[in-house]
Structure formats: C-alpha cells, structure tokens
Amino acid sequence: MVFAGNDPTGGAGLQADAEALMSMGCHAAPVVTAITVQDTFGLKGFAALEPGLVAEQARAILEDMPVAAFKVGMVGSLANLTAIAEVIADYPSIPAVIDPVLASGRGDPLSDEPLEDGFRSLLCPLATLITPNSREARRLVPEADSLEACAQGLMSLGSRYVLITGTHEPTEAVINLLYGNRQFLERFSYRRLPGEYHGSGCTLASSCAAVLAQGLEPVNAIVQALEYTHKTLEAAWSLGMGQQLPDRLFWAREDEADRD
C-alpha cells in the first residue's frame, strides 16, 4: 500500500511507486494524498486531500485485500501525516518504509506547514526503514553534526533501519549509508551519473517496500532495491525539457531489444 501524491509527469509519486513495485514483483494499492501540478522542471502547485478521505481509502483496501508492506511518500499536510500514522499503527506486523518527502527535488515545499515534527513523533516510531536523502536527514535531526548522528537520531526515535542517500553530497561517487541496530551497517558507492533525475527517491523507497513485502530481511532487501534503482537511473530518459525520468521498466525494453 502506497500513500503518495499524484504527479502528472509520471516521474515521481504514485505512478513511480506503482511501476517500481510492479517491476519488483508486487501489486500496488495506491492511496492518493495530494494532487500536484508539476512538470519536469519543478512543482507549480498542489492540493492535499482531506485526511478522512485518505484514511478511508486505506482502510477500505486493508479490510478487503492482503497488504504486505506500507510505503509513505508525499503526505501533503500534517493532518494527512497524522491520519496515515493512525492507519499504520493499527497494523504493527506490516513493514513500513517511510520516504520523508519534505520538498521536491528543486526544493519546492510539499506541504503548507512544517512536517518535521510529525515525521519525528508519529512516523519514525512506526518505520521499519526510513530513506531520507542527506538534506532531509539534516532537517529531521537539526541538532546532529554529522550524517551518522542524523541516523542515530532517527533510530532513537524508533526507526529500525535508516538509509541516507548521498546524491546531494559533494562527493565524486554517490555514497549511500545504511544504519540499523543502533550502529553503522554498510556503505554503498555508486557512480555519479550525469544530469538530474525526477523520482529517484520514490523509486528507491518503493522498491525497498516491494522486496520487504516478499519476506526478505531488510539489509538484503535494501541491496536489491539500490541495485534496481541505479539501473533505472542509468536507463533514464528525457521525456520533458527538465529533469530526466527513471525508466523503471528498463528490463522490458531490454527484452524487446534482445528479440530484435
């Protein structure tokens, strides 16, 4: 089950989540939290749905279909964040992947009110895995003096695992850092690709949720999701005039090329 906004480019949001989940062998149950107006350059506007409607969407599916994992992306408002946390809290045995979306890739805010306290107090305690980029990690733990301190802070709030992605860091390679059990676990280094990408965070968090839904333990699930996400970026295409969009169905087009 995915809680996220609709992105008309199809690069991020619910479509990105659904494509990633399908590619990793899962069916997506999309719960709409917000409608956005955006293109490949950035966000132009958004409207959050009413929190009661968000919760009703989720509970209707939870009473009808087996849900194997939750993934939370754009929530749109603090009221929606609260409603989502209340739903997830009722199903403690279902793993939850939290992508703490605070702003678009260009830096546009994705809520009319601050969400940091809500993520810290309501969603972190429910998170099997939280996947902030380095900017989000620093906003969520502003007192931290390092990314490791950010991760420790998020784990102290209840997140079992923390994966901090390093796209925004000034390093030659992209360094992603995984923490769990209150300690550093693994460092993943990837070649920094040229250009900018719209929807990479959605892709990563949803693919993590997909593999967790299939019963893999978290570290192996994260490794598989990182590999898949990097391949979608290597195959990214420029469908608009701004950021490139990850090709989450690259594997299908590779099969077509093999048949030609």
Side-chain angles (χ1 to χ4, degrees), residues 162-185:
V162 178
L163 177 64
I164 300 179
T165 58
T167 304
H168 297 296
E169 296 300 289
T171 53
E172 183 176 353
V174 174
I175 308 299
N176 304 312
L177 304 171
L178 177 62
Y179 299 82
N181 302 317
R182 302 305 301 271
Q183 61 186 327
F184 171 73
L185 296 180

Side-chain angles (χ1 to χ4, degrees), residues 60-85:
I61 297 306
L62 285 159
E63 292 170 6
D64 179 54
M65 299 168 63
V67 171
F70 293 114
K71 184 265 181 176
V72 179
M74 177 186 179
V75 297
S77 69
L78 183 58
N80 281 353
L81 187 155
T82 302
I84 291 165

Side-chain angles (χ1 to χ4, degrees), residues 111-131:
S111 172
D112 290 332
E113 55 202 326
L115 297 176
E116 289 88 345
D117 284 345
F119 276 108
R120 284 189 289 259
S121 64
L122 297 175
L123 286 178
C124 278
L126 304 173
T128 306
L129 168 66
I130 188 167
T131 62

